[in-house]
Amino acid sequence: MVMYPTRYHRPRDVCDAVRLFAAGEDATYLAGGHTLLPTMKLRLAHPSDLIDLCVLAELHGISTQDDVLSIGATTLHREVADSSVVRRWIPALAGLAASIGDRHVRNRGTIGGSVANNDPAADYPAAVLGLGAIVVTDRRRIAADAFFVSMYETALEPGEIIRRIEFPIPEQAGYAKFRSAASRYAIAAVFISKRGAIVRVTVTGAGSAGVFRLRAMEQALEKDFLPASVALSQIDSGALLSDLNGTPAYRANLIAVLARRALGRLGEAQSYK
Amino acid sequence: MVLVSLKVNGALVSREVEDETLLAALLREHLNLTGTHVGCDTTQCGCCVVHLNGRSVKSCAVLAAQAQGGAVTTIEGLAKDGILHPVQEAFHQCHALQCGFCTPGMIMAALDLIENHPGPLTEDVVREEMEGNLCRCTGYHNIVKAILSAARAMRPTEAAAE
Amino acid sequence: MLGERAFKAVGRPLLRNEDGRLVTGRGRFSDDFSLPGQVWAAMVRSPHPHARIAAIDPSEAMAAPGVLAVYTGADCRNDGLRPIPHNPVPSTRFDVKLTGRNGEAAFIGPHHLLPHDKARHVGEAIAMVVAESLEQAQTGAEQVSVDYEVLPWVADTSQAAQPGAPKLWDELPDNILVDSTFGDAAATDAAFATARHVVSMKTHIGRVTGVPLEPRAALGNFDAETSRYTLYAGSGGAVRQKHELAYVLGEEPERVRVLSFDVGGNFGTRNRAYVEFGLVLWASRKLGRPVKFRAERSESFLTDYQGRDLVTEVSLALEANGRFLAMRASNLSNVGARCVSLSPLSKGSGLITGSYDIPAATLRARAVYSNTMPTQAYRSSGRPEVTFAIERLIDKAARELGFDRLELRRRNLVRPEQMPYTNAVGSVYDSGEYEINMDRALRLADWQGFPARRTEARSRGKLLGLGFANYVESSIGTPKERADLIVRPDGIEVVIGTQPAGQGHETSFAQVTADLLAVPFKSVKITLGDTDVVSAGGGTHSGRSMRHASAVIALGAEDLIARATALTAHLLDVSQNDVRFEDGVFLSVASNRAFTWFELARHAEQPGLPDLLAGGLWVRRDNEMHTPVFPNGSCICEIEIDPETGATEIKRYATVDDVGRCINPLIVHGQTHGGIAQGVGQALWEHCALEPSSGQPVAGSLMDYGMPRFDNLPSFRTEIAEVLSPTNPFGVKAGGEGGTTPAPAVIMSAIEDALSDFGPITIDMPATPVKIWSAVHQRPTDKAAA
C-alpha cells in the first residue's frame, strides 16, 4: 500500500539525530530501510518522522584494535561480507553477512538496523550474541547478553542510537542456517564460537522469543569442542516456534544438525535450504 | 515535501515529492520511466531493481530522498544510440524473457552481478546470486544462459567456467 | 493438412520481435497507463469467510480527505449492473459435459461486481472507495465501516461436500453444483469383479495460485462525448472481456473498448474478468473521471482466481500379467465461493486414463462450492491433477504387485496404430508415439546411469531418487478465431484475437504468415489486444493459440492469394488461370510480368478498381475448430534428499514433449521450462494454505508462499517430438502446458523413490522439508505444518 505520510530528516551528526528523534511525535530511525519501509508499506508502522542515520559517516566503517573487531552501525551487509579485515579475523561473520537476504538487500541493509530490530529470524543477532559482542550506543555500552530482550525487543531506550558493535575476536567460529523456501529467513540457524575455554552457542529463527543461547550445548562443547558432543537432549523443544515451516521437533532436530555442521566447517557460514 | 536532486541515467533531475515517496514511484510516476516495475509488496520479487551509485538496489525499498545526490541507472539508461547493452543483447539472443515484466529488474540485477562479483561466474554462482529476482515465465534456464553469455562478452580476459 | 513443404521461417528458432521493447523498458503493461485527471480506487474486502452484509456505513470514509465516492453492492443493484457472464461450463463440442445432479444444469451463482447479500470468501470485495490519490483511497477504504453477521463457513474441499456443511447458496440443497458420471459403469464393474489385482489411492491435489509477476491493474475511462468506455487492463482475451463487461454494464459491445497490450504473465489467472474491471468503468461514468485500480501483491494472493484443488479417489483393476482392465475415479473439484470456470474438472475428466489403453472406466465428476477464493483454469487446467492420479496409482501398483514401473507402463501404453484412439471416457486422442517418447526420455535422462549416481549420493549421506511420469493432455479452447491479413506497400499486418502474455505470438505467428505468403519474416507485423482493431477472437488459454491462429491464417492466406491473383489478372488483363503464385510473387506466364505482394498493395490503393477488388489488398477470415488435440510426453527427474533436514534438491530434469508441429523451438522450449517450474512449484513449495480453525488464508505474500527461484531449480534437458496432428493444417498440437502436466507426478515419484528404504510413506504436496523429515522420522506433523 502507499505509506502514510511522514517527514524525512538528514541529521548533521548523532546529537542532531537524537534531538530530532525527541522532537518528533513518534519518530523512527532509518538505516537500510529494508525492514522499516516494507513495514510502513504494509501500513503496520506509521512513524511521524524518519531520521536517516546512513548519512552519518561517523557511524560507518570496519576496524580492529587489539583483539576486538569493530563494525560501525551503518556498515552494509555487503561491506562486511567483502571486507578483507572481517574475512581475516572472523570469517564466519563475513560469511553470515554474505548470506543475508539477497545481493540487492545486502547493498542497503546495515548491521545496526538488523541488531536494533531484532527480527527473530535475523542472522546478525545470532553472531552478536554468539560472539559475546558489545553494542556501543550514543550513551552506553551494552553487553550482548543484556541486549536482546525478546522478539523485536531490545534493551535500547527510545531515541538511543547504536554507534558500532565491538566483536571480541574468537579463536574459532562457525555458522550454519536452514532457510525457509519462501521468506529465505532462517527456520533455524546456529552460531558457535570458541574463545579460550568459553564456548557460546546461539540459535536464531527457531525461538519463540527471538535469539537465544543454548547453555546445555555450550557446556558440552566446552568439555569437548567436537560435533559428537552435540545432542538433541541439550535442546528444549518446548520453547521453539511452530509454524508452516516447522514443528518444534523439526526445529530441535535442525538445531542439532546445524550445530554439528557449524562445528564441522569452522571459519565458514553455511546456508542450506 | 522534500526536494530530491539526483542523476538519473546521466541526466540531472530535481523533483519536489512527498517525503514518503519511494524511488520506484519517483521513477515511474514523476519521471515517467515506466520500465522499472513493481511486482510485490514485500521487497522479494526484484522487478524494481535499479542501480544506485553503481550497485543494484530494490527501488521499492528505497526512499527517493535517500537517493539524494546520487546516481541512478534504470533499464532505460542501458542502450546507447539504439545499440543494446551486452546484457540486453544476451537476453534477446538466449530467449531469456517471455512476458517481459521481470526483465528490467532482472537485467539490472544481472549487470550488477557481472560488474561486481569478484570471482568467476559459473552456473552455480549465477543461480545463487540471482535468488533475489523472481521470474514466473522462463523457469530461469535461459536467463542463466544469458547471464553467462553476457559475462563472457563483458569479461573477455576471463574464461567463464561452464 | 498442409502438404510437406520447405518452410523458411516455420520450425526455426527465430529471435523474438517482442524483445526490443521489453529489454529496454518500453513495454506497455497495465499500470504503465495513466490518463489526465485520473482518480484511484481501493477495495474494501471481507475479513470473514462467510458473512451477511448487514450494513455498510461509508460516512467516515466520505468525510476523509480526497474521497470522492464509496460504492456498494446496493449501488450496483440500483444501477442495474448485471453479474459477470463467466459461462463457466465448457461447452465446445468435445468438452466433457458437466451437469448438476440428475442431468440438470449446474447452478451458477451470480457474480455481481459487488455483492449486496453476503460475502462468501475472505477477501471478497464488498465496497469500492474512489479518491483523488491512491493513498487517500486506501485510507478511505480503512474507514468504511461494515456491519457483518458472521455465518458458519466451510473451506475444506471434502468437508464442503458433506451433507449439513454450511451452505453458500440458498438455491442449492447443499454445495454441490456438479455431479455427473461418465464412462461405462457396467463394463467397469464387471472388470473389477473379476480382476486379479485392484489398487486404490485417494489424494488431494491442493490449491495454488498463478503469481503472474504483474499484479492485475485496470484503468477505466468513460467518454461522455462518445458514450464509450475504454479499459486498459491486461487480460487473457480482450475481445471476450469487452463482451462480458459490456453485458455487465448493460451496453452494446461496441460501446466498450478493451486494450490489453503487454501482459505480465497470465497462466489462467487473467482468463476471466475481475470485478474491479467492471467497477472502474462504471465508476468512471458516474464520476466523469478516469478511474484506476492497481492490486497489491497481497491482494493478488488473496483474490487472483486460484488454481487446482481436487480431491481424487482412483482405482485400477489389473490382470495377473499387469494389463489394465478398468479404472474408477471420483473427482471432487473445489470451485470456491463462485463458479468462474469448470474447465479444470471438465478437462481433467476427459483424461483420467492418461497415456494408457484402459478398456473400461467410470468417472464421477463433482464440483463443490466452499468459502474460499474462486478457482479456475491454471496452467494445464485439470490435467496435472489427473496425470498425478493415474501415474502415482501406477507407481503404487508396480510397488505393491511387484512389477517394474516402466514395464507396467509399456505393457499398457496406447500404441500408435490405435490412433486416433477413443479412451474409456470418450476423448479421441489424435496422434502420438508414446513408447518412442518414453525411450527417448530414458536416453535423455541417462536412466541407466542412475544406480551409480545413487551410490555416489549415498557416499555423501544423501538419498537420490528417480521419478518417472508419462502424460497426455488436451488442448481444446474457444473454437472460433478470426484473422485480418492486410497487405500494405511497406509490409504485412495480421490482426488476430489471441492474447499472449509471453508466448511470443508476435514472432511465431509472423513465421507462419511469412511462409504461407512467401514473404520475409521481418515484413510481417502482428497486431493484438485493442478491441477497436481486433474485432473477434478467442484469447489465449488451453494451448489453443497456435493451433487456431495458424489454421485461420492458413485459410486467410488462401483467400488472400486468391484475391491477389484476381487483382493481378485484372491489372495485367489476363485470365486468372494465367496467373501463378510462386515464391511470393504473382506472375503471368503469358505476359511474363510479375508483382510482389507489396507492389500489388500499392496498386490496390489506387482508385478505379472494380468493386470486388477495391478497398485494399486484405481479407478477413473466420474459422471454427472444435476437435481437440492431445500433446503428450514423458518426464524423468532425480531428486536428492538430505535425510537430516528433509531438504530436496532437483539434480536432473528431462522431458520429451510431443507438441505436434513446432513453429519456433526457442519459444516452445521456453514454454516447457516455465511450465516445468510451475508444476515443480506445486510439488515442492506452493500452497494457498488456510488456517484450519479460522479459514483465514495464511500464505498471503511471498514471505509465506514459496516460489521456484534461480537457486532451487536445475537447468533442464528438454526435447521436442513432432508427431503431427491430423486435425489442423499445420499439424499443431500445443506446447505451452506440457511442462507442467507431469511435473507434480514426477517429483513425488522421485521423492517416493528416494525414501523407498523407509517403507510406504505418504507425503502431501507441497513436499516441504518439514514434511519429508517428519514422514521419514515417523513424527506427526502439527496442523500448522500440514
Side-chain angles (χ1 to χ4, degrees):
Chain A
M1 288 185 269
V2 181
M3 296 194 277
Y4 292 122
T6 189
R7 273 183 301 270
Y8 171 85
H9 306 272
R10 301 168 73 90
R12 288 187 306 274
D13 52 37
V14 168
C15 293
D16 191 33
V18 173
R19 185 191 58 75
L20 283 165
F21 186 98
E25 293 157 40
D26 185 17
T28 303
Y29 292 120
L30 174 67
H34 275 44
T35 298
L36 178 61
L37 295 180
T39 309
M40 290 173 70
K41 285 162 69 177
L42 292 173
R43 293 193 165 191
L44 297 174
H46 184 185
S48 58
D49 298 83
L50 295 176
I51 299 152
D52 189 351
L53 298 180
C54 285
V55 302
L56 299 177
E58 62 186 291
L59 298 179
H60 185 265
I62 299 171
S63 62
T64 55
Q65 177 145 43
D66 301 323
D67 56 353
V68 171
L69 173 70
S70 186
I71 302 182
T74 62
T75 311
L76 302 175
H77 303 329
R78 185 198 83 233
E79 290 168 329
V80 174
D82 290 352
S83 159
S84 54
V85 173
V86 182
R87 286 174 161 189
R88 163 111 196 268
W89 293 108
I90 316 179
L93 185 62
L96 177 151
S99 78
I100 298 174
D102 57 57
R103 60 187 295 108
H104 319 305
V105 170
R106 294 192 288 274
N107 282 334
R108 297 294 296 171
T110 68
I111 184 168
S114 168
V115 169
N117 185 46
N118 194 18
D119 185 302
D123 300 288
Y124 268 128
V128 171
L129 189 61
L131 290 164
I134 310 270
V135 179
V136 180
T137 76
D138 61 304
R139 56 196 78 165
R140 53 186 169 141
R141 300 169 62 83
I142 312 175
D145 284 330
F147 184 85
F148 299 103
V149 172
S150 187
M151 72 159 82
Y152 300 111
E153 210 190 314
T154 69
L156 292 173
E157 289 159 4
E160 190 167 4
I161 297 178
I162 300 176
R163 280 188 176 275
R164 63 183 176 278
I165 301 176
E166 293 177 353
F167 295 92
I169 295 172
E171 281 152 31
Q172 293 177 306
Y175 185 58
K177 77 179 184 187
F178 192 83
R179 299 191 289 160
S180 148
S183 70
R184 299 313 175 93
Y185 277 89
I187 299 175
V190 179
F191 194 99
I192 300 182
S193 74
K194 182 173 193 298
R195 198 162 188 258
I198 310 289
V199 172
R200 294 176 75 101
V201 177
T202 58
V203 176
T204 185
S208 46
V211 66
F212 63 93
R213 282 175 69 179
L214 256 186
R215 307 279 184 167
M217 197 180 288
E218 290 173 353
Q219 283 160 21
L221 288 173
E222 279 167 355
K223 291 200 186 80
D224 212 351
F225 194 63
L226 288 173
S229 304
V230 169
L232 203 59
S233 56
Q234 296 152 3
I235 304 156
D236 171 21
S237 60
L240 298 182
L241 280 172
S242 182
D243 58 21
L244 275 177
N245 288 313
T247 57
Y250 177 67
R251 282 189 155 94
N253 159 74
L254 280 181
I255 291 168
V257 169
L258 293 167
R260 286 187 206 108
R261 292 184 183 186
L263 289 162
R265 285 163 64 173
L266 292 163
E268 289 179 43
Q270 304 145 64
S271 181
Y272 302 96
K273 53 192 177 304
Chain B
M1 302 291 280
V2 60
L3 180 67
V4 181
S5 299
L6 67 161
K7 276 206 171 142
V8 178
N9 298 328
L12 191 59
V13 301
S14 275
R15 289 289 187 280
E16 202 174 10
V17 296
E18 310 279 8
D19 290 42
E20 63 275 6
T21 303
L22 295 166
L23 180 58
L26 177 75
L27 296 170
R28 286 183 59 75
E29 290 159 31
H30 295 263
L31 300 176
N32 210 32
L33 294 168
T34 56
T36 301
H37 298 145
V38 175
C40 79
D41 47 21
T42 50
T43 327
Q44 289 176 279
C45 75
C47 290
C48 68
V49 169
V50 299
H51 289 194
L52 174 59
N53 301 332
R55 296 283 182 166
S56 61
V57 298
K58 294 177 177 175
S59 62
C60 74
V62 176
L63 293 175
Q66 289 177 291
Q68 164 64 32
V72 170
T73 309
T74 71
I75 186 71
E76 291 97 336
L78 288 195
K80 293 282 187 283
D81 302 320
I83 314 280
L84 293 181
H85 186 283
V87 177
Q88 291 170 313
E89 184 63 40
F91 269 59
H92 176 50
Q93 294 287 335
C94 296
H95 187 40
L97 62 149
Q98 291 181 22
C99 82
F101 192 78
C102 77
T103 305
M106 193 70 75
I107 287 174
M108 300 311 290
L111 182 56
D112 178 82
L113 175 59
I114 295 169
E115 285 180 336
N116 291 311
H117 186 78
L121 288 179
T122 63
E123 175 172 350
D124 282 349
V125 169
V126 170
R127 286 185 177 278
E128 192 71 38
E129 291 293 322
M130 291 295 290
E131 69 164 309
N133 288 73
L134 278 177
C135 175
R136 198 48 158 163
C137 293
T138 68
Y140 305 105
H141 179 113
N142 283 345
I143 303 179
V144 173
K145 284 173 61 174
I147 295 174
L148 292 173
S149 170
R152 281 193 292 276
M154 291 173 63
R155 298 174 167 201
T157 52
E158 185 186 288
E162 287 300 283
Chain C
M1 267 298 284
L2 287 175
E4 275 317 304
R5 50 166 74 181
F7 288 119
K8 290 212 173 90
V10 164
R12 291 188 46 222
L14 299 184
L15 301 184
R16 297 195 329 163
N17 290 329
E18 291 85 339
D19 290 355
R21 65 180 185 272
L22 295 174
V23 298
T24 54
R26 287 177 298 118
R28 298 154 305 161
F29 296 92
S30 308
D31 187 49
D32 297 342
F33 294 96
S34 286
L35 290 171
Q38 78 188 11
V39 294
W40 289 84
M43 311 307 291
V44 179
R45 300 190 178 279
S46 167
H48 304 292
H50 202 190
R52 201 162 303 283
I53 303 167
I56 301 180
D57 179 5
S59 56
E60 207 187 316
M62 286 298 296
V67 172
L68 300 170
V70 178
Y71 299 114
T72 68
D75 297 318
C76 293
R77 192 158 60 159
N78 292 341
D79 274 15
L81 295 179
R82 297 180 186 141
I84 303 175
H86 289 304
N87 279 320
V89 183
S91 54
T92 72
R93 226 169 277 157
F94 293 91
D95 278 309
V96 169
K97 299 298 183 288
L98 300 173
T99 67
R101 286 192 180 91
N102 306 317
E104 292 157 11
F107 171 75
I108 309 299
H111 191 180
H112 292 283
L113 297 186
L114 294 170
H116 54 266
D117 54 346
K118 46 180 187 169
R120 288 175 170 83
H121 65 87
V122 174
E124 176 148 51
I126 57 101
M128 176 172 74
V129 174
V130 183
E132 294 283 353
S133 78
L134 180 54
E135 189 271 316
Q136 290 167 333
Q138 289 172 343
T139 303
E142 289 165 2
Q143 293 167 333
V144 172
S145 180
V146 186
D147 200 356
Y148 290 105
E149 285 166 19
V150 174
L151 298 169
W153 57 272
V154 61
D156 176 78
T157 310
S158 299
Q159 283 173 25
Q162 296 299 316
K167 267 199 325 174
L168 274 83
W169 297 95
D170 296 334
E171 295 87 337
L172 277 179
D174 50 21
N175 290 319
I176 298 180
L177 63 150
V178 169
D179 195 346
S180 316
T181 54
F182 305 95
D184 185 339
T188 307
D189 290 347
F192 269 81
T194 58
R196 174 66 180 276
H197 305 296
V198 172
V199 191
S200 300
M201 186 181 87
K202 179 173 179 178
T203 190
H204 182 184
I205 291 109
R207 179 85 63 104
V208 293
T209 185
V211 199
L213 281 198
E214 181 198 10
R216 67 185 191 269
L219 171 60
N221 187 37
F222 177 73
D223 183 337
E225 275 176 39
T226 60
S227 286
R228 291 190 86 217
Y229 299 84
T230 302
L231 180 75
Y232 296 86
S235 72
V239 171
R240 181 194 174 113
Q241 295 201 356
K242 157 182 142 170
H243 286 272
E244 288 179 340
L245 295 170
Y247 174 84
V248 169
L249 296 166
E251 298 278 2
E252 288 303 306
E254 292 324 301
R255 290 241 173 270
V256 178
R257 179 184 188 188
V258 176
L259 298 142
S260 294
F261 288 134
D262 289 311
V263 181
N266 177 0
F267 320 117
T269 64
R270 299 187 210 264
N271 285 358
R272 293 288 183 273
Y274 284 97
V275 298
E276 296 95 2
F277 295 2
L279 286 168
V280 296
L281 290 176
W282 173 60
S284 173
R285 177 168 193 159
K286 292 173 84 66
L287 293 172
R289 309 270 294 274
V291 179
K292 187 158 179 183
F293 167 78
R294 171 167 84 206
E296 303 285 327
R297 176 54 61 187
S298 53
E299 267 180 302
S300 288
F301 270 111
L302 197 58
T303 61
D304 277 354
Y305 295 123
Q306 296 179 348
R308 315 257 191 267
D309 201 341
L310 185 82
V311 175
T312 177
E313 294 184 60
V314 283
S315 297
L316 190 60
L318 302 90
E319 269 180 25
N321 69 357
R323 274 287 292 147
F324 300 160
L325 295 172
M327 177 179 184
R328 282 196 185 112
S330 178
N331 289 352
L332 178 65
S333 170
N334 189 342
V335 302
R338 298 173 188 286
C339 184
V340 174
S341 171
L342 286 164
S343 155
L345 183 63
S346 169
K347 300 282 303 263
S349 294
L351 288 160
I352 56 165
T353 55
S355 315
Y356 308 99
D357 179 20
I358 305 181
T362 22
L363 163 70
R364 183 183 188 194
R366 293 188 299 161
V368 69
Y369 284 115
S370 70
N371 295 110
T372 59
M373 181 61 205
T375 59
Q376 60 143 339
Y378 167 58
R379 200 76 180 261
S380 193
S381 171
R383 285 99 74 198
E385 297 93 299
V386 299
T387 302
F388 186 89
I390 185 72
E391 291 295 319
R392 301 297 296 129
L393 188 61
I394 292 172
D395 273 354
K396 187 175 189 198
R399 208 173 50 248
E400 288 182 357
L401 305 176
F403 291 104
D404 174 87
R405 57 181 163 161
L406 291 186
E407 279 316 301
L408 189 57
R409 286 173 163 90
R410 281 186 199 280
R411 199 164 300 176
N412 290 285
L413 282 175
V414 174
R415 295 182 309 283
E417 56 268 25
Q418 291 177 288
M419 296 292 184
Y421 169 80
T422 304
N423 78 6
V425 282
S427 296
V428 183
Y429 299 174
D430 53 346
S431 70
E433 297 171 349
Y434 297 168
E435 192 170 12
I436 290 178
N437 289 345
M438 256 184 87
D439 288 330
R440 270 181 79 177
L442 292 169
R443 280 194 304 276
L444 182 63
D446 185 27
W447 183 272
Q448 303 302 327
F450 173 77
R453 293 191 288 274
R454 178 171 48 200
T455 304
E456 188 278 328
R458 210 159 253 155
S459 74
R460 288 181 285 109
K462 303 290 200 314
L463 305 170
L464 189 68
L466 181 63
F468 184 91
N470 284 321
Y471 77 92
V472 63
E473 59 140 3
S474 64
S475 170
I476 310 179
T478 300
K480 293 185 185 177
E481 194 50 63
R482 167 179 292 179
D484 294 342
L485 278 64
I486 307 162
V487 188
R488 297 196 181 85
D490 61 352
I492 305 209
E493 182 185 5
V494 178
V495 179
I496 191 143
T498 60
Q499 198 74 62
Q503 296 93 327
H505 295 178
E506 292 170 48
T507 304
S508 55
F509 293 3
Q511 290 172 260
V512 165
T513 306
D515 278 354
L516 286 167
L517 301 181
V519 293
F521 165 68
K522 282 291 175 200
S523 68
V524 181
K525 182 182 159 313
I526 308 294
T527 297
L528 305 146
D530 175 353
T531 60
D532 271 7
V533 179
V534 179
S535 52
T540 291
H541 52 269
S542 184
R544 73 178 289 278
S545 299
M546 179 52 79
R547 186 167 104 256
H548 283 277
S550 64
V552 72
I553 292 173
L555 294 167
E558 278 175 22
D559 295 346
L560 191 61
I561 289 169
R563 189 174 169 87
T565 300
L567 180 60
T568 302
H570 170 81
L571 291 170
L572 298 178
D573 199 22
V574 298
S575 99
Q576 290 199 31
N577 292 332
D578 285 340
V579 177
R580 273 210 322 268
F581 174 61
E582 229 172 69
D583 292 330
V585 164
F586 291 86
L587 46 91
S588 152
V589 183
S591 67
N592 205 30
R593 286 185 58 196
F595 293 108
T596 66
W597 281 103
F598 310 109
E599 287 166 344
L600 277 178
R602 208 169 303 120
H603 287 288
E605 286 173 352
Q606 303 305 319
L609 289 168
D611 285 347
L612 235 56
L613 298 173
L617 183 52
W618 74 281
V619 294
R620 166 167 294 174
R621 181 64 193 239
D622 286 322
N623 189 36
E624 187 168 341
M625 295 193 304
H626 286 257
T627 311
V629 293
F630 293 81
N632 58 85
S634 301
C635 179
I636 298 168
C637 80
E638 291 177 22
I639 293 189
E640 188 175 281
I641 294 181
D642 181 344
E644 288 195 314
T645 62
T648 55
E649 187 185 343
I650 306 172
K651 304 295 278 187
R652 291 172 161 235
Y653 199 104
T655 66
V656 171
D657 298 288
D658 170 11
V659 302
R661 187 183 305 278
C662 176
I663 305 298
N664 184 325
L666 193 64
I667 290 176
V668 169
H669 281 300
Q671 290 297 305
T672 302
H673 300 162
I676 291 171
Q678 287 190 312
V680 168
Q682 168 147 31
L684 293 179
W685 310 293
E686 299 185 41
H687 185 208
C688 293
L690 299 178
E691 206 286 301
S693 64
S694 66
Q696 292 293 324
V698 292
S701 79
L702 292 169
M703 289 292 282
D704 304 295
Y705 191 89
M707 289 281 284
R709 284 184 183 264
F710 274 94
D711 61 356
N712 56 25
L713 289 177
S715 287
F716 310 111
R717 292 182 195 196
T718 59
E719 274 184 18
I720 294 168
E722 292 181 86
V723 180
L724 301 188
S725 174
T727 65
N728 61 86
F730 274 87
V732 167
K733 289 176 182 164
E737 302 187 302
T740 304
T741 306
V746 81
I747 294 285
M748 296 314 290
S749 171
I751 290 176
E752 184 175 71
D753 186 60
L755 301 177
S756 53
D757 286 348
F758 297 95
I761 39 182
T762 310
I763 298 173
D764 288 332
M765 299 188 289
T768 55
V770 58
K771 284 188 193 168
I772 290 177
W773 182 85
S774 300
V776 164
H777 296 266
Q778 302 302 323
R779 309 293 197 96
T781 49
D782 289 351
K783 282 201 174 82

